[in-house]
Amino acid sequence: MAGKGQRELNRLLINRIDHSKDVVVDGLRHTIDHESLQATFGSQFSLIFVDTPLQIRFERSRDRYSTFQQFLAADSH
């Protein structure tokens, strides 16, 4: 969905952001996400990338996925 649909989602997100406040947006998955936020907020935009090992992410989400295979399927979607 990194095409026109993703651009529309980004536009809707950005329109909901109160530009007078600091906000955190979690789960950027596409290059267009970063580009849209950078273009809108310029130097006020910061990207922080956190890379967590797969096993730790699974352990933190065990209440949603009872098996590692279920987690992997959801993670790759």
Side-chain angles (χ1 to χ4, degrees):
M1 178 182 255
K4 289 182 181 180
Q6 192 63 33
R7 287 184 197 280
E8 178 63 13
L9 287 174
N10 289 337
R11 187 187 66 74
L12 293 170
L13 168 69
I14 289 168
N15 286 341
R16 295 187 65 178
I17 294 174
D18 181 344
H19 293 242
S20 68
K21 297 181 179 179
D22 291 336
V23 298
V24 173
V25 178
D26 182 25
L28 301 184
R29 304 226 189 284
H30 304 285
T31 304
I32 189 69
D33 299 341
H34 175 267
E35 291 169 356
S36 297
L37 292 165
Q38 181 69 47
T40 302
F41 296 103
S43 64
Q44 293 177 311
F45 173 75
S46 296
L47 176 67
I48 300 170
F49 178 78
V50 177
D51 187 20
T52 304
L54 201 57
Q55 187 63 36
I56 291 173
R57 292 187 5 244
F58 170 62
E59 292 298 327
R60 291 180 179 169
S61 61
R62 290 215 62 153
D63 59 327
R64 291 185 290 170
Y65 308 104
S66 57
T67 69
F68 190 63
Q69 294 302 65
Q70 289 174 339
F71 169 76
L72 287 177
D75 188 64
S76 67
H77 182 55

